[in-house]
């Protein structure tokens, strides 16, 4: 420990703690920032209070605490302890406490002054986990408003792409050298049609062979660390390797978040004497952990990323390539204790195409729990917190809407009394709402055990790594009455002031009670069967259940857990409870709402109205109505148009020309505040601009007679209509008195035409990036005397001339009339003189008076 590079920063760090309240420390892999630094800080005279160190992952928090305690010759829980979800080893003597992300946030919420805590260290902050971003934001607010003596240290393996200095501009900046040995990179892209998991198994087997073609012999004595995207792939690879490797020589150790602490410790510990260890891990092993004996890393290059889908309200799991930063972190695991080798299952040229860094979780995650954290903190807008990255607006809207539906916040996003009680239960807001409402349900049905049953259900839904027992959630209740899950159930029972034999309650739980409770948490996930495997959720989402599972035979379910996956059209249900129709219309009747709708029947060619009972998007029952109200017909017409598109209306070329002209006006004369009349906007706003004129329309035939162009024109003021006609007229007055029509083409509408002009802002000579053409069609004789093509939009758009023969057929197209008269016109004149001898074809067209008559009728040419 005394030789670690971080030692060189101890003196500057002590000085920084004296002079600054915020410190940013960049310390690459192997520097000792997670172990040597916090251990040394326990002895520094500048620190008298408690040190909290945040570790993003539970396995890292436990491992770091155990390592530091052992290095000090102490037991974990004495001066050095840790606290993770469901497990804590701390005492009154603990001065250095390693905690996971969510624990830190709750400590701040429960005691905003952080009594007794002097320093908070944010380790591995570059990983950008959502709770880390939130914890840092709250700590910064505490420091700003309550504890100016609180010291914050943000530590990162790299500051690349991390806007810490924007958030903490006055922080002291310190940089440590790393300590890692050279790692040789070997690229082994998957060949042809081979499955990447099979290829990975082959590479690992070859890597530990004495005759390896992949890994140089000098790395052969160490153990192997393989990176995979998830638990499923880890289990498959473990089965493949166990069939091909000698168990007397190799020990296979999976490593992922759902494993028990004992199983995780086994993966981190040194290999038994005489054996080599093969650790098969998720990205949990990317940082903070030093796994003894690793000299070879085999990297699949994949990760499993959960991105929130605001439409369905769940996160979609996708298999994605890791970033360059992640690949560097993974490779570095092979060089922590000695020189090593990293085998990458992709080509060297692909390495440079990987994204530079990972997307921060706040950009892709569900924000319901974070929003409740904000409300509990007293903040009604997530973006008002000092965050490294603002979250997507739509994700925030979905989160606040759900919290309002659960009555945990009010319309102004202020936390309610129910919301405060829900937060203090420490589970997802949906489940906290179920726990609180279960008491009211228990009183109504005179069933005191309903609250304890809700606690058991919550424990199941909060658990990780459940064994597979099918979709029926009742099959898992017995698990929740045992071990660590039972401890959590009893904590909730205590908070809710109830008691009961949870083993007995788990055995006696009735399906009706389970579904009633789950409906409190998931009112948007009532599911109706459609087809053999499929169900529709009340939020509109489609889900499936394996046909072999008994739950697929029910007509109605409440879905408690489902997952969307890349490449699947419907989500897959993991946990649900059955609902019978009698139950639906009694205990769950509050979820049913009544609607009166009117629609156009295309087959019968008429409107019809019906009364529908619905749960969200699911129609439970429907009854035809004999009288169709005119207001309902208007709604039906609007819906019909939105479904079919504007093309079903009485539209002609004049309508589309108005759209094109207005698009050009918006681009080049925005000072007139033009309305938006593109098709998408018009469809979305039918209720505002068209519906008022449909009250007398009761058929599609009458709809066809509505003056759509007139109503759209009325969206422009009289002044705007006059200005538009001046800037972009529909006709051009020729010298002969003829009003020649101008046809406009804009953007992709005419993208196939090679001669579209690029409009240029002539004031600054810069292209404005919109393609368009104004095409003026007129007989050539009426263009005589024009020295150049007309110009529109105050000279920004040159009109393209379509010159016609006396028979009104195109004979030339040009946007440069002067050049046309001097060049191509000569050939046109030769050809046309013989075909139309009675018409004028002068030798000097630019200086000839225009005419719309034959030579005989033209004055001076008789």
């Amino acid at each position: 420990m005394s030789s670690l590079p971080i030692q060189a920063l101890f003196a500057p760090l002590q000085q920084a703690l004296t002079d600054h309240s915020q410190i940013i420390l960049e310390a690459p892999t192997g520097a000792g920032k997670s172990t040597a630094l916090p251990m040394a800080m326990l002895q520094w005279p500048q620190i008298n209070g408690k040190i909290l160190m945040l570790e993003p992952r539970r396995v890292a928090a436990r491992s770091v605490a155990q390592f530091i305690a052992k290095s000090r010759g102490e037991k974990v829980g004495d001066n050095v302890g840790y606290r993770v979800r469901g497990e804590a080893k701390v005492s009154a003597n603990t001065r250095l406490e390693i905690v996971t992300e969510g624990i830190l946030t709750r400590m701040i919420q429960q005691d905003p002054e952080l009594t007794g805590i002097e320093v908070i260290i944010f380790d591995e902050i570059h990983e950008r986990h959502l709770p880390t971003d939130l914890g840092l934001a709250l700590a910064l607010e505490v420091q700003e408003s309550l504890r100016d003596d609180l010291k914050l240290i943000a530590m990162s393996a790299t500051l690349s792409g991390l806007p810490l200095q924007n958030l903490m501009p006055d922080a002291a900046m310190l940089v440590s050298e790393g300590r890692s040995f050279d790692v040789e990179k070997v690229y082994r892209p998957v060949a042809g049609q081979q499955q990447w998991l099979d290829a990975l198994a082959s590479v690992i087997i070859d890597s530990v062979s004495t005759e390896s073609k992949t890994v140089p012999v000098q790395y052969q004595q160490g153990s192997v660390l393989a990176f995979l995207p998830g638990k499923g792939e880890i289990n498959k690879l473990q089965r493949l390797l166990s069939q091909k490797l000698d168990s007397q020589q190799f020990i296979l150790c999976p490593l992922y978040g759902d494993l028990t602490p004992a199983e995780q410790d086994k993966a981190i510990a040194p290999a038994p004497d005489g054996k080599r260890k093969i650790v098969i891990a998720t990205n949990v092993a990317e940082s903070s952990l030093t796994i003894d004996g690793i000299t070879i890393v085999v990297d699949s290059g994949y990760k499993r990323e959960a991105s929130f889908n605001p439409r369905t309200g769940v996160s979609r799991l996708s298999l994605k390539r890791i970033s360059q930063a992640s690949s560097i972190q993974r490779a570095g695991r092979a060089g922590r204790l000695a020189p090593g080798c990293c085998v990458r299952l992709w080509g060297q040229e692909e390495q440079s195409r990987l994204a530079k860094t990972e997307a921060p979780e706040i950009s892709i995650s569900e924000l319901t729990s974070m929003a409740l954290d904000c409300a509990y903190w007293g903040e009604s807008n997530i973006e008002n917190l000092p965050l490294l990255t603002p979250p997507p607006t739509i994700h925030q809207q979905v989160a606040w809407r759900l919290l309002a539906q659960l009555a945990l916040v009010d319309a102004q996003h202020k936390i309610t009394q129910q919301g405060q009680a829900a937060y203090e239960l420490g589970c997802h807001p949906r489940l906290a709402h179920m726990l609180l409402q279960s008491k009211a349900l228990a009183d109504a049905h005179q069933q005191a055990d309903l609250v304890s049953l809700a606690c058991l259900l919550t424990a199941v839904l909060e658990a990780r790594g459940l064994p597979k027992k099918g979709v029926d959630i009742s099959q898992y209740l017995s698990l929740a009455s045992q071990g660590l899950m039972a401890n959590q159930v009893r904590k909730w029972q205590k908070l809710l002031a109830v008691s009961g034999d949870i083993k007995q309650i788990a055995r006696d739980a009735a399906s009706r009670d389970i579904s009633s409770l789950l409906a409190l948490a998931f009112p948007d996930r009532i599911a109706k069967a459609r087809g053999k495997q499929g169900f529709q959720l009340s939020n509109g989402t489609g889900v499936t259940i394996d046909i072999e599972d008994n739950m697929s035979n029910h007509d109605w379910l409440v879905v408690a857990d489902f997952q969307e996956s890349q490449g699947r059209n419907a989500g897959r249900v993991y946990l649900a409870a059955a609902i019978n129709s009698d139950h639906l219309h009694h205990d769950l009747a509050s979820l049913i709402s009544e609607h009166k709708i009117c629609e156009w029947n295309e087959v019968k060619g008429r409107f019809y109205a019906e009364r529908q009972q619905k749960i969200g998007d699911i129609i439970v029952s429907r009854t035809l109505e004999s009288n169709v109200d005119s207001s309902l017909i208007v709604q039906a017409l609007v819906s019909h148009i939105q479904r079919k598109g504007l093309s079903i209306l009485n539209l002609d070329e004049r309508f589309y020309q108005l759209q094109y002209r207005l698009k050009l006006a918006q681009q080049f004369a925005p000072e007139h505040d033009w309305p938006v009349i593109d098709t998408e906007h018009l469809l979305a706003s039918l209720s505002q601009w068209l519906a008022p004129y449909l009250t007398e329309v009761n058929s599609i035939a009458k709809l066809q007679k509505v003056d759509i162009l007139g109503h759209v024109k009325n969206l422009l003021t009289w002044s705007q209509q006059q200005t538009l006609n001046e800037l972009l007229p529909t006709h051009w007055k020729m010298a002969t008195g003829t009003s020649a029509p101008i046809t406009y083409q804009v953007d992709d509408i005419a993208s196939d035409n090679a001669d579209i002009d690029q409009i240029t802002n002539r004031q600054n000579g810069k292209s404005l990036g919109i393609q368009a053409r104004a095409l003026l069609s007129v007989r050539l004789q009426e263009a005589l005397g024009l020295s150049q093509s007309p110009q529109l939009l105050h000279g920004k758009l040159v009109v393209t001339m379509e010159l016609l023969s006396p028979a009104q057929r195109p004979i030339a197209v040009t946007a440069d009339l002067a050049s046309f008269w001097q060049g191509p016109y000569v050939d046109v004149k030769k050809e046309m003189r013989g075909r139309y001898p009675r018409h004028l074809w002068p030798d000097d067209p630019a200086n000839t008076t225009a005419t719309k008559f034959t030579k005989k009728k033209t004055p001076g040419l008789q």
Side-chain angles (χ1 to χ4, degrees), residues 836-853:
Y836 302 102
R838 291 185 300 167
H839 291 77
L840 188 61
W841 304 98
D843 294 331
D844 186 8
N847 295 303
T848 301
T849 303
T851 180
K852 57 182 177 179
F853 303 111

Side-chain angles (χ1 to χ4, degrees), residues 270-454:
D273 290 341
K275 289 190 176 184
R276 293 176 69 184
K277 187 169 61 173
I278 299 177
V279 180
I280 313 169
T282 61
N283 56 9
V284 72
E286 270 189 23
S287 56
S288 294
L289 290 175
T290 298
I291 303 175
D292 276 331
I294 300 296
T295 58
I296 301 170
V297 164
V298 181
D299 190 356
S300 70
Y302 288 111
K303 64 175 180 176
R304 183 152 281 109
E305 183 176 272
S307 55
F308 182 65
N309 182 347
R311 186 182 67 82
T312 61
V314 299
S315 294
R316 177 187 293 271
L317 280 181
S318 302
L319 191 67
K320 293 192 175 182
R321 277 295 191 191
I322 60 173
S323 67
Q324 292 184 35
S326 183
S327 72
I328 293 169
Q329 284 286 106
R330 290 182 176 189
R333 300 293 99 186
R336 291 298 295 268
L337 302 175
C341 177
C342 174
V343 185
R344 290 170 168 166
L345 246 66
W346 62 91
Q348 189 166 4
E349 72 287 349
E350 189 178 349
Q351 176 68 18
S352 61
R353 298 199 301 268
L354 298 177
K356 296 292 184 185
T357 58
E358 308 291 338
E361 282 187 1
I362 198 169
S363 300
I364 59 175
S365 294
E366 182 201 5
L367 300 176
T368 310
S369 294
M370 185 179 191
L372 186 58
D373 258 301
C374 287
Y376 192 87
W377 186 246
E379 180 55 71
S380 59
N381 187 344
I382 296 175
E383 291 189 41
N384 287 344
L385 294 175
L387 294 164
L388 287 166
T389 304
T393 301
I394 183 62
H395 292 197
Q396 297 180 63
Q397 291 171 346
V398 170
W400 289 116
R401 185 163 60 244
L402 177 58
L403 292 179
Q405 288 171 351
L406 299 176
L408 304 184
V409 300
D410 63 18
Q412 287 72 45
H413 301 171
K414 292 183 179 179
I415 198 161
T416 62
Q417 187 174 355
Q418 175 99 340
Q420 289 180 330
Y423 181 84
E424 286 159 10
L425 289 170
C427 52
H428 191 280
R430 285 183 182 267
L431 302 178
H433 174 73
M434 176 181 72
L435 290 173
L436 294 172
Q437 292 299 109
S438 68
K439 297 195 76 171
L441 202 60
D443 292 340
H445 293 269
Q446 299 297 303
Q447 290 178 264
D449 288 345
L450 279 179
V451 183
S452 295
L453 177 57

